[in-house]
Amino acid sequence: MGEQGAGAVKRKGKPRGIRRDRDCQSCKDRGIKCDLNRPRCQPCVQSGLPCGGYPQRVVWATEAASRQRRPSESLRSSNSKAAASPKESPPVSRPKSVASGSPSSPVNSAATATTAIEAASEATRAQYPATHQYSFIKRLTEFYEQIKVAELQSGGSYLSPEAIDLVSRIWDFVRARMQGYVTVGSPEQSSMDAVRFHVAALMGLAEAVDKAHPVALFGIATFAFFEVCDGSFGEWQRHLKGARSLLDIHCRSKADLDQLSRDISGLTHIVAHLVWFDTMGAIIRGSRGLIFDDWHRETLMDGFFASVGCPPDTFRLFVALTKTEATIGGLDLSFEAVDQLLHAEPGDSSSVADLTAGAWRCTAAIAILSRIGEASSPSRQRALSSAVNQACRAIASIPPTSGIYIHLAATAYLAGINATHPQQCDIVRNYWRNCQASDFPHYPDGQARCEEKWRADGLA
């Protein structure tokens, strides 16, 4: 009856076939047309307003695999069983490996655990198809999945209760932060959930750090990731220094790190992301001095460089630029800048990978040219403007749907700060807007700093 009654009312003022019941609530309230872009429509992004009201719900990989219990509940359940057991494992500085289970242990088959872990990782990859913008979160999620499987398979003896509790709290925090951006419901409630889980995660992390447990590195890395996404752009040293201090307790060499990584699956990938944040933060700030050492940077393998689109030789140049001791003279730096720009020239049929590599090479050239020579030198200004132009062309040519697009923030920032034409500003501004319109908004402070510089230079 209700449906027939609704159909009997003739709607006026709208062409047939246009539905407004799918618009976000903010656009409905303001009476404007919504482009239905999810999770944040462009009118709300441009107006700086929260976007909500879409009839959608995020289903996490663990929920799709098992809706009966949340991952954190499963972990805490295992923790409770382990705590209730008369033979409770004491807190240790290094967790036991699942693969080393004895024949009497619940882990009778390493193949069974491996299959379960691979299935969990596959579910995670299905949640983030063909994209690298969630690569860090994906790594963390895979780690939590592996911890869950290993803890259940080992009957509660894989990690100490404190470590399991930390994993559960960090897991809840990540879910709350991600869901706060993409689920329907009260924004205030989403914010309250995020704050509540944030405090719980910090408490668990503080306890783990006090005991110098290496699993705390994952907690520190999680907070570092969110600071990179929406904190003060480039100012990421706080969490990185904490991670380095904790890592030093367990690892004094690459061999030590490799050994610890065999005990804690995924640790090498997390360290690689922290090392990357360290170097790119210094490039963005234009400062010297890195938190991590050269042997830490050995964790950056070809697969990592492919995921962010940066050529390895360009990254080595970034490191040379940001080390405390100047290892390259001014003349050699000029040659390096020219070499990077020559290799950055796109071909007639450049792929996204080629365009992204070119963007990173332009980033290196801009970083060099902004550090050498007199600021008022006309030749320096022309060279810098040419590098910015080339970087902007690369950014404009790369589709925002590409997973690597989100990683070009340093390129956009250096191009924006050194922009000399409104057209360059428009390209960089559009990049920031696309980052804000993604499933998980990124880099609001990066855009704010560029806009401030443009206003000061009369380009806004």
Side-chain angles (χ1 to χ4, degrees):
M1 292 292 293
E3 293 181 356
Q4 292 176 352
V9 179
K10 184 177 180 180
R11 301 189 180 187
K12 298 180 179 180
K14 295 180 184 177
R16 184 177 179 181
I18 294 180
R19 295 177 54 183
R20 286 295 174 84
D21 57 315
R22 296 178 297 174
D23 291 2
C24 79
Q25 191 60 48
S26 177
C27 288
K28 286 181 182 178
D29 294 341
R30 291 181 291 158
I32 63 175
K33 183 179 179 181
C34 180
D35 62 9
L36 304 180
N37 185 53
R38 304 188 185 192
R40 303 184 71 204
C41 68
Q42 195 63 23
C44 288
V45 171
Q46 293 177 345
S47 302
L49 297 174
C51 184
Y54 288 127
Q56 64 177 12
R57 177 179 177 272
V58 170
V59 178
W60 288 75
T62 50
E63 292 177 352
S66 173
R67 298 177 180 272
Q68 305 244 334
R69 303 172 69 186
R70 294 176 59 192
S72 56
E73 291 171 347
S74 298
L75 288 171
R76 291 193 180 107
S77 175
S78 298
N79 182 25
S80 300
K81 292 177 182 178
S85 172
K87 191 176 180 180
E88 179 181 323
S89 300
V92 292
S93 61
R94 181 173 292 180
K96 293 180 286 185
S97 173
V98 177
S100 63
S102 63
S104 59
S105 168
V107 188
N108 296 322
S109 171
T112 301
T114 302
T115 302
I117 289 174
E118 289 177 348
S121 299
E122 185 63 31
T124 302
R125 284 190 289 271
Q127 185 184 347
Y128 306 118
T131 179
H132 296 299
Q133 69 165 304
Y134 289 114
S135 58
F136 188 82
I137 288 295
K138 188 185 78 171
R139 292 294 184 190
L140 288 171
T141 307
E142 288 177 345
F143 167 70
Y144 298 142
E145 291 285 1
Q146 292 171 13
I147 291 294
K148 175 191 173 186
V149 171
E151 183 67 10
L152 294 176
Q153 293 284 343
S154 66
S157 61
Y158 179 62
L159 291 177
S160 66
E162 291 83 358
I164 290 297
D165 186 62
L166 172 62
V167 171
S168 299
R169 294 184 185 187
I170 295 294
W171 174 268
D172 286 338
F173 169 60
V174 171
R175 288 161 56 97
R177 283 297 302 268
M178 296 297 288
Q179 290 181 343
Y181 285 102
V182 296
T183 57
V184 176
S186 167
E188 294 78 10
Q189 184 60 44
S190 297
S191 177
M192 287 299 295
D193 287 342
V195 170
R196 179 161 55 88
F197 288 125
H198 186 184
V199 172
L202 281 176
M203 291 175 62
L205 180 58
E207 295 170 2
V209 169
D210 286 343
K211 296 185 178 182
H213 200 294
V215 173
L217 280 166
F218 287 85
I220 294 175
T222 300
F223 284 103
F225 168 77
F226 287 113
E227 184 177 52
V228 168
C229 289
D230 53 23
S232 182
F233 196 66
E235 303 292 339
W236 309 322
Q237 307 94 305
R238 178 172 50 126
H239 294 296
L240 300 181
K241 288 179 178 177
R244 171 65 196 271
S245 299
L246 181 59
L247 196 61
D248 283 347
I249 297 175
H250 303 277
C251 307
R252 290 292 181 176
S253 67
K254 182 62 164 56
D256 290 343
L257 179 59
D258 290 341
Q259 177 60 48
L260 188 60
S261 297
R262 284 191 284 271
D263 292 338
I264 305 179
S265 177
L267 179 62
T268 301
H269 298 294
I270 296 301
V271 173
H273 278 86
L274 295 175
V275 167
W276 173 260
F277 294 156
D278 179 27
T279 306
M280 298 320 301
I283 288 292
I284 290 167
R285 297 190 304 272
S287 62
R288 288 190 178 274
L290 294 172
I291 297 169
F292 291 91
D293 293 334
D294 285 338
W295 66 266
H296 293 114
R297 284 183 280 277
E298 292 179 21
T299 57
L300 297 175
M301 307 299 286
D302 290 343
F304 183 91
F305 288 121
S307 70
V308 297
C310 181
D313 66 292
T314 302
F315 178 77
R316 288 192 290 271
L317 182 54
F318 287 147
V319 173
L321 281 172
T322 51
K323 282 190 172 180
T324 303
E325 304 82 11
T327 58
I328 307 178
L331 183 59
D332 286 336
L333 281 175
S334 299
F335 293 148
E336 289 284 359
V338 172
D339 183 62
Q340 292 292 319
L341 285 176
L342 288 175
H343 283 86
E345 284 290 345
D348 294 333
S349 57
S350 295
S351 64
V352 170
D354 292 336
L355 290 169
T356 307
W360 280 117
R361 294 191 185 281
C362 291
T363 308
I366 296 172
I368 291 172
L369 293 170
S370 61
R371 291 172 183 241
I372 63 175
E374 295 292 332
S376 58
S377 169
S379 59
R380 175 184 179 273
Q381 291 176 347
R382 286 195 300 271
L384 188 56
S385 180
S386 176
V388 170
N389 267 333
Q390 201 163 329
C392 287
R393 285 199 300 270
I395 292 174
S397 300
I398 299 172
T401 53
S402 166
I404 302 180
Y405 186 83
I406 204 76
H407 293 296
L408 295 175
T411 305
Y413 181 79
L414 291 185
I417 291 297
N418 293 282
T420 55
H421 302 293
Q423 294 87 342
Q424 297 169 342
C425 299
D426 288 340
I427 291 174
V428 173
R429 183 181 289 113
N430 189 58
Y431 174 84
W432 296 128
R433 286 175 176 172
N434 286 331
C435 289
Q436 283 294 295
S438 66
D439 290 346
F440 182 71
H442 285 63
Y443 316 129
D445 188 57
Q447 178 174 1
R449 293 190 180 191
C450 287
E451 296 283 359
E452 182 180 1
K453 179 68 163 52
W454 297 335
R455 286 192 295 270
D457 294 342
L459 296 173

